Amino acid sequence: MTRNKTLLLTFLMAFSTILPIQAQQKLFTLEDLNFGGNNFYNLLPKNLYLTWWGDKLMYLDAEEGGLHHADGTRSVSFQLSELGSDWHSAYEAEYPYADKPLVLLDNRRQRVLYNFEKHQTEWSQTSRGETHSDWNAQSKAVAYVKDNQLYVRTADNEAHKLTTDGSREIVYGQIVHRNEFGIEKGTFWSPDGRRLAFYRMDQSMVKDYPQVDIFHRMAELTPDKYPMAGETSHVVTVGIYDIETGKTLYLKTPTPNTQESTAVYFTNIAWSPDSKTVYMFELNRDQNDCRLVSYDAQTGDRVQELYQETDSKYVEPLHPIQFLPWDDNLFLLQSQKDGYNHLYIYNKEGKLQKQLTKGNFVVMEVVAFDTKQKCVIIRANKEHPLCHNLYSVNVKNSRMTLLDNGRGVHYAMASASGSRLIDSYSEPDVPRKIDLIETSGRTTNLLTASDPWKDNGYQIPIFENGTLKAADGVTDLYWRMVKPADFDPQKKYPTVVYVYGGPHANNVQASFRWYSRSWETYMAQKGYIVFVLDNRGSQYRGKDFEQVTFRQLGQVEMQDQMEGVRYLKSLPYVDADKLGVHGWSFGGFMTISLMLNYPDVFKVGVAGGPVIDWKWYEVMYGERYMDTPQTNPEGYEKTSLIHKAKKLKGRLQIISGYNDDTVVLQHCLSFLAACIEAGTQPDFFVYPGEAHNMRGHQSVHLHERITRYFEDYLPVK
């Protein structure tokens, strides 16, 4: 056994039972625990706000910035007050040039490059009224959206209007395909800053969902474009704007039919290092045929199909290709075609050179390239499924070198050369540490934060972690349990199962307090046990683990959750007659599914923003996991909760944002109608003006409501 694995085994044995936390006298309120609460941020572990200027470590505070030295001392480089009375705060601050003493600052009125050695502004640009801004350091041009039109403002501060037909139906320069496929923005600058690739989304053919704004004397219709599974979707094209010529062309992509096409979804846009070629993945509507295609950015011509991946269930491209900084002929491609997300190196003609990473673990992120050692810095769960660790992968020999301590959950920000990392991490008993890692081997601690709950004398519950077998009897599943600080094994406690269970999320990690949500602490303080289990279908466990739910969402997940219930019932201190369940979004769907399929098990449930029938969910997500209602009628029928409304026995509260544009209100209202017809009695609460999640202080109100429902109908003795 290697030293790292020995350390990990010791770590897991030490913390797989109980984190011994001394109960204190001070009690929490939701103002302390909830992110919308007025004392929440005061009770977070201390943090440092650091960034890089080339390979130099810099700090950022509200009113100043400067060098952060390894010994913890600081040297002030600039203060916002130097820029004048308009600069009370900066919404952006970064150091875009490794070799120049310039900091980019933006106060949403003006964008400036400030020379912090000469203490003078060297360049400025208007930024007022911009949305979806995307600034390029090479050309100093910014792409932005204003009044639905796409603009580029050049370095000379001249605004160029690229479009004239932008509207709620024709969308430019913004996220398309409803945030799926790893899409986080709608504009993409070439490396030299001369050309801008951008999305154009025509959704005029998509049906409106009738959202209503009640905050007027007469309520007003404010509809959303919402493509539901199996129905007409939008059409996306990709434009290229050339700053020097002032002209726009569109890539000659396959013309999609809105119902069926070999290339409907265009995603993960990337540029060649010479700024002449655009690469993107093209995915058919059935999402089982994915192709990497290159286009000539000067003509828009389709050049070459470099890669194809098919799957009997679905292919999900989430990451653009990345060229190796030291070799313009080679690029990294991420795929889980061998069962786990791994890195592959291809040349620009599309020929596979090697699989760079391999094994029963997931590469979660490419952090950076270490150009000095010709390595790729990644984040992966190679040490343990619950840990996220940092590694250097040698491109030549594929050797993986662990860079951190092999425990906990780590996130890194790399310097310009990739040879230095800011490593911010936590462990189940470590609130936060920040280390400076040199990839050559040296690590310096910059911050070790204490537990502010303990420092402020709060009563802290007990956090536990363990494993159990999935319903298949083979697969390990990981759970978290939160118990009252004064837990007595001789007593019996009402227990709430908190669940999400869906794709692209997990609830149990080896971070502080096992990644526990603060509401669980509030419930434990009230005398409840809270239990959380990551079932099959959740993330970071490989393709088979995720895809087992294909065409039958909720079914395998419920089987696994019931294995968790079986475990709970085996514990003498769990009151099996007082089991509740709570979840939001996919977790709301799971909550109601469990209440209706196991009506004699769960006495109380609170479901937030729940999917009720997948035929009312959006095209991209819904069809990936369920196919269409036309091709999978049995799956849609089996997973629908409408026809199970008659099975409701326990107390169920459903909560929704009135203007939810993710899980539209039709889900909740249709279920209520079914319950009325069936004679069952759920409770319903709505937040006017709110979308899928409650914002700001309304979240405090929400979690108080959730808590009270359990106190009313699943009381502690």
Side-chain angles (χ1 to χ4, degrees):
M1 182 177 288
T2 66
R3 179 177 178 272
N4 286 334
K5 289 185 177 178
T6 303
L7 286 172
L8 180 67
L9 181 60
T10 303
F11 161 76
L12 290 172
M13 290 176 65
F15 296 108
S16 62
T17 54
I18 296 177
L19 297 179
I21 302 176
Q22 183 69 36
Q24 305 293 324
Q25 295 301 310
K26 196 172 180 180
L27 297 181
F28 290 103
T29 70
L30 284 174
E31 299 290 354
D32 302 319
L33 291 171
N34 191 271
F35 64 85
N38 56 33
N39 197 39
F40 173 75
Y41 292 101
N42 295 325
L43 293 180
L44 293 180
K46 184 180 178 182
N47 203 355
L48 295 175
Y49 298 95
L50 303 172
T51 187
W52 293 102
W53 170 32
D55 283 343
K56 295 180 180 179
L57 187 62
M58 309 295 285
Y59 75 90
L60 293 171
D61 281 348
E63 298 177 352
E64 67 179 38
L67 287 165
H68 188 105
H69 305 289
D71 63 2
T73 61
R74 293 179 169 189
S75 301
V76 178
S77 296
F78 72 92
Q79 294 180 327
L80 284 180
S81 58
E82 298 173 21
L83 280 79
S85 59
D86 288 341
W87 289 85
H88 302 294
S89 62
Y91 293 95
E92 294 179 20
E94 60 180 279
Y95 300 83
Y97 308 106
D99 57 346
K100 298 177 183 178
L102 298 175
V103 58
L104 179 71
L105 300 168
D106 190 344
N107 62 4
R108 295 187 181 175
R109 296 180 299 277
Q110 188 180 28
R111 180 180 294 110
V112 304
L113 284 170
Y114 186 72
N115 188 314
F116 51 83
E117 289 185 353
K118 296 181 178 179
H119 297 280
Q120 64 185 34
T121 298
E122 292 204 350
W123 171 88
S124 65
Q125 183 182 61
T126 299
S127 64
R128 190 184 300 273
E130 297 177 358
T131 64
H132 306 89
S133 301
D134 186 2
W135 186 80
N136 181 265
Q138 298 304 311
S139 63
K140 298 187 181 70
V142 61
Y144 63 95
V145 176
K146 184 177 181 180
D147 299 327
N148 295 314
Q149 309 305 335
L150 180 62
Y151 291 80
V152 166
R153 186 180 296 277
T154 48
D156 60 4
N157 213 26
E158 183 177 352
H160 301 264
K161 189 175 183 180
L162 276 56
T163 66
T164 58
D165 61 340
S167 66
R168 62 177 292 265
E169 296 192 329
I170 308 295
V171 179
Y172 288 100
Q174 299 175 49
I175 291 171
V176 299
H177 305 322
R178 297 190 64 82
N179 299 69
E180 298 297 329
F181 317 114
I183 297 173
E184 297 179 346
K185 61 175 189 169
T187 53
F188 310 86
W189 283 105
S190 61
D192 63 8
R194 288 179 49 198
R195 295 187 177 98
L196 175 76
F198 61 88
Y199 279 128
R200 178 186 190 272
M201 179 170 63
D202 181 355
Q203 53 183 358
S204 59
M205 69 292 293
V206 177
K207 291 181 180 178
D208 283 336
Y209 185 83
Q211 298 282 4
V212 176
D213 182 354
I214 68 160
F215 297 103
H216 297 276
R217 175 66 178 83
M218 177 66 76
E220 295 180 0
L221 185 66
T222 56
D224 291 328
K225 290 292 184 180
Y226 195 93
M228 289 186 178
E231 297 195 355
T232 302
S233 187
H234 52 243
V235 174
V236 169
T237 48
V238 177
I240 307 290
Y241 174 73
D242 190 308
I243 286 181
E244 294 186 355
T245 66
K247 294 181 179 179
T248 298
L249 59 84
Y250 281 85
L251 302 184
K252 298 172 185 176
T253 54
T255 302
N257 179 294
T258 55
Q259 285 294 332
E260 187 176 3
S261 173
T262 57
V264 171
Y265 304 128
F266 303 126
T267 186
N268 299 305
I269 293 174
W271 283 91
S272 61
D274 64 7
S275 300
K276 294 180 179 179
T277 307
V278 173
Y279 300 85
M280 65 183 179
F281 287 101
E282 301 179 357
L283 186 67
N284 66 331
R285 177 157 176 173
D286 206 33
Q287 301 188 46
N288 57 13
D289 188 337
C290 178
R291 306 175 188 219
L292 175 64
V293 181
S294 61
Y295 288 88
D296 188 323
Q298 300 167 92
T299 65
D301 291 337
R302 186 182 181 95
V303 177
Q304 185 180 359
E305 183 180 301
L306 296 95
Y307 172 82
Q308 181 181 14
E309 183 177 337
T310 60
D311 191 276
S312 61
K313 295 179 179 176
Y314 54 85
V315 182
E316 192 175 6
L318 293 171
H319 309 279
I321 63 170
Q322 296 171 279
F323 280 86
L324 303 185
W326 53 85
D327 191 338
D328 290 353
N329 186 54
L330 300 176
F331 63 81
L332 279 184
L333 180 146
Q334 297 190 46
S335 170
Q336 56 176 358
K337 60 185 177 181
D338 79 340
Y340 295 86
N341 192 58
H342 280 299
L343 306 182
Y344 299 80
I345 296 181
Y346 284 80
N347 67 19
K348 62 183 179 182
E349 284 73 43
K351 183 178 180 180
L352 176 65
Q353 305 298 292
K354 68 189 305 183
Q355 181 173 349
L356 187 59
T357 59
K358 186 180 297 184
N360 296 341
F361 64 91
V362 173
V363 174
M364 300 162 176
E365 180 188 8
V366 173
V367 175
F369 293 97
D370 183 346
T371 56
K372 295 180 180 179
Q373 300 188 50
K374 292 184 171 56
C375 294
V376 183
I377 309 301
I378 66 170
R379 189 164 57 91
N381 61 354
K382 184 174 184 289
E383 304 305 304
H384 188 273
L386 298 187
C387 295
H388 303 183
N389 298 110
L390 303 172
Y391 302 85
S392 175
V393 186
N394 187 290
V395 169
K396 185 175 181 179
N397 58 27
S398 299
R399 186 177 70 239
M400 288 183 64
T401 302
L402 180 66
L403 297 175
D404 60 35
N405 63 6
R407 306 187 300 271
V409 172
H410 296 247
Y411 296 92
M413 181 189 301
S415 67
S417 69
S419 62
R420 310 182 82 202
L421 303 172
I422 302 166
D423 173 22
S424 179
Y425 67 97
S426 71
E427 299 173 32
D429 65 337
V430 176
R432 179 180 285 119
K433 283 191 176 183
I434 298 178
D435 288 345
L436 173 62
I437 295 177
E438 314 278 347
T439 58
S440 57
R442 182 181 177 183
T443 297
T444 304
N445 180 250
L446 302 176
L447 171 70
T448 298
S450 61
D451 182 354
W453 291 7
K454 185 178 296 184
D455 294 344
N456 286 277
Y458 283 95
Q459 184 184 82
I460 303 175
I462 299 166
F463 300 87
E464 298 180 359
N465 167 262
T467 64
L468 55 83
K469 292 298 181 184
D472 63 3
V474 176
T475 307
D476 284 335
L477 303 178
Y478 296 92
W479 55 260
R480 171 178 72 248
M481 185 180 290
V482 185
K483 295 176 178 177
D486 60 352
F487 172 74
D488 181 350
Q490 303 304 314
K491 293 183 179 180
K492 284 190 175 292
Y493 293 86
T495 300
V496 177
V497 175
Y498 176 77
V499 60
Y500 182 77
H504 293 297
N506 67 326
N507 283 317
V508 186
Q509 297 179 7
S511 58
F512 191 43
R513 301 191 178 106
W514 300 106
Y515 201 40
S516 178
R517 300 168 66 250
S518 55
W519 176 76
E520 298 164 26
T521 289
Y522 193 58
M523 290 295 286
Q525 181 177 276
K526 296 281 189 177
Y528 294 86
I529 288 174
V530 181
F531 181 78
V532 184
L533 174 72
D534 280 333
N535 50 248
R536 286 173 294 167
S538 55
Q539 69 178 352
Y540 296 151
R541 297 292 302 279
K543 185 167 71 170
D544 289 345
F545 188 92
E546 296 170 5
Q547 289 191 346
V548 70
T549 65
F550 182 59
R551 289 169 64 96
Q552 54 169 350
L553 288 176
Q555 309 312 296
V556 171
E557 300 94 317
M558 280 193 290
Q559 295 171 23
D560 286 353
Q561 289 295 329
M562 291 310 294
E563 290 302 311
V565 169
R566 184 175 301 175
Y567 169 70
L568 288 174
K569 288 184 173 182
S570 74
L571 302 175
Y573 49 81
V574 169
D575 189 340
D577 294 325
K578 285 190 173 182
L579 292 181
V581 58
H582 167 50
W584 200 273
S585 194
F586 197 100
F589 164 67
M590 286 293 295
T591 294
I592 301 179
S593 295
L594 288 164
M595 289 283 292
L596 301 183
N597 284 277
Y598 303 94
D600 294 320
V601 174
F602 296 98
K603 301 301 188 292
V604 180
V606 179
V611 172
I612 297 296
D613 192 310
W614 289 101
K615 70 173 178 287
W616 294 317
Y617 201 67
E618 54 94 347
V619 167
M620 297 83 200
Y621 182 107
E623 292 182 4
R624 179 187 314 132
Y625 303 116
M626 288 291 293
D627 284 337
T628 66
Q630 296 91 327
T631 58
N632 184 23
E634 299 85 1
Y636 277 82
E637 177 69 19
K638 180 167 61 174
T639 60
S640 175
L641 304 179
I642 291 293
H643 305 301
K644 298 183 178 73
K646 60 186 177 183
K647 295 184 178 181
L648 180 62
K649 289 180 65 176
R651 300 294 311 212
L652 171 64
Q653 178 174 231
I654 301 170
I655 304 175
S656 177
Y658 181 73
N659 298 101
D660 194 332
D661 56 359
T662 302
V663 182
V664 295
L665 198 58
Q666 186 169 354
H667 289 269
C668 293
L669 298 181
S670 298
F671 184 71
L672 293 177
C675 288
I676 293 167
E677 184 175 351
T680 51
Q681 295 283 346
D683 296 313
F684 182 56
F685 191 86
V686 67
Y687 283 85
E690 292 298 296
H692 192 49
N693 294 291
M694 305 311 114
R695 298 164 293 181
H697 203 264
Q698 295 206 55
S699 181
V700 175
H701 184 279
L702 166 67
H703 284 87
E704 181 62 33
R705 182 163 195 87
I706 295 168
T707 304
R708 287 188 183 187
Y709 201 77
F710 285 111
E711 288 182 306
D712 287 345
Y713 299 110
L714 200 74
V716 176
K717 292 181 180 178

